[in-house]
């Protein structure tokens, strides 16, 4: 797998799968989640509603991932994952790494060759950027895939890009 980091808006990424930093309710929100639903259109939310209705308790456990159509986006599918909320007292990093490895497992199962990730949990969920980047790279490297050949981290700021570039060169 080729791993790279770029600055950009993930809704515009020309890849097979974009990953959404969603929440367990899967019904949209702010940040990258809001941007994906706004750009992709109502088909994505409709599919999320169907999926969530079938999940135990109506929630996607944090660290797991599910796929929907990408609606009007250039990507073919959106894989939705719910990251952990940053905790200064509990180490939830296995859950954050799982977001990446599980999303890749789901994308690979669809036959995706190219996958774009945002910095999961590094916005509203408050995860410190440098560590979020390290966990992201570790989570991707831990995944075993058959089809995926490129993973692109699409970062929304120069600061996030620098953090991911540093994590990739470690
Ligand atoms: N493209 C790429 N990255 C983006 C974009 C974009 N268009 N927009 C924002 N980011 P966040 P979280 C970056 O808050 O921390 C939502 O309400 C952003 O700068 O979107 O996992 C969900 O519904 C940051 O670096 O996700 C959940 O409730 C990164 O994406 C909650 O927020 C992640 O920030 C999830 O919080």
């Amino acid at each position: 797998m080729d791993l790279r980091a770029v600055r950009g808006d993930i809704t515009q990424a020309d890849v097979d799968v974009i990953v959404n930093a969603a929440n367990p309710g899967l019904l949209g929100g702010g940040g990258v989640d809001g941007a994906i639903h706004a750009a992709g259109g109502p088909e994505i939310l409709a599919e999320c509603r169907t999926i969530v209705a079938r999940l135990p308790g109506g929630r996607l456990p944090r660290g797991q991932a599910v796929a929907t159509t990408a609606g009007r986006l250039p990507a073919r599918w959106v894989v939705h994952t719910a990251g952990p909320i940053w905790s200064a007292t509990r180490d939830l990093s296995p859950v954050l790494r799982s977001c990446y490895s599980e999303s890749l497992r789901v994308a690979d199962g669809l036959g995706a060759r190219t996958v774009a990730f945002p910095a999961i949990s590094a916005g509203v969920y408050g995860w410190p950027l440098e560590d979020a980047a390290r966990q992201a790279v570790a989570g991707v490297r831990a995944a075993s895939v058959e089809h995926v050949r490129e993973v692109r981290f699409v970062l929304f700021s120069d600061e996030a890009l620098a953090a991911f570039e540093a994590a990739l060169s470690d």
Side-chain angles (χ1 to χ4, degrees):
M1 255 189 305
D2 176 33
L3 278 65
R4 61 182 71 179
V6 299
R7 168 114 197 241
D9 175 353
I10 202 167
T11 65
Q12 301 309 309
D14 183 16
V15 287
D16 295 326
V17 164
I18 65 168
V19 176
N20 181 17
N23 59 66
L26 280 190
L27 299 181
V32 71
D33 192 9
I36 287 171
H37 283 286
E43 258 187 283
I44 301 176
L45 191 58
E47 224 178 302
C48 283
R49 283 189 203 285
T50 307
I51 290 170
V52 101
R54 291 190 193 127
L55 289 172
R59 297 177 77 72
L60 177 70
R62 296 181 193 273
Q64 294 189 20
V66 293
T68 66
T69 171
R72 297 192 292 258
L73 298 174
R76 296 173 67 189
W77 302 280
V78 177
V79 168
H80 306 260
T81 187
I85 300 169
W86 166 254
S87 165
T89 53
R90 285 173 62 205
D91 178 15
L92 299 175
S93 58
V95 183
L96 184 53
R97 292 193 296 276
S98 171
C99 288
Y100 289 91
S101 51
E102 279 297 298
S103 295
L104 273 178
R105 191 178 64 77
V106 170
D108 198 60
L110 294 165
R113 292 163 66 81
T114 51
V115 179
F117 282 98
I120 299 167
S121 291
V124 173
Y125 282 173
W127 205 286
L129 200 47
E130 278 70 26
D131 194 61
R134 279 195 292 271
Q135 303 303 337
V137 171
V140 166
R141 288 193 175 136
S144 67
V145 292
E146 199 180 322
H147 306 285
V148 178
R149 56 175 169 72
E150 184 195 321
V151 169
R152 199 182 303 168
F153 297 107
V154 179
L155 292 324
F156 217 43
S157 67
D158 286 336
E159 196 195 357
L161 177 60
F164 275 73
E165 281 174 341
L168 282 171
S169 63
D170 261 1

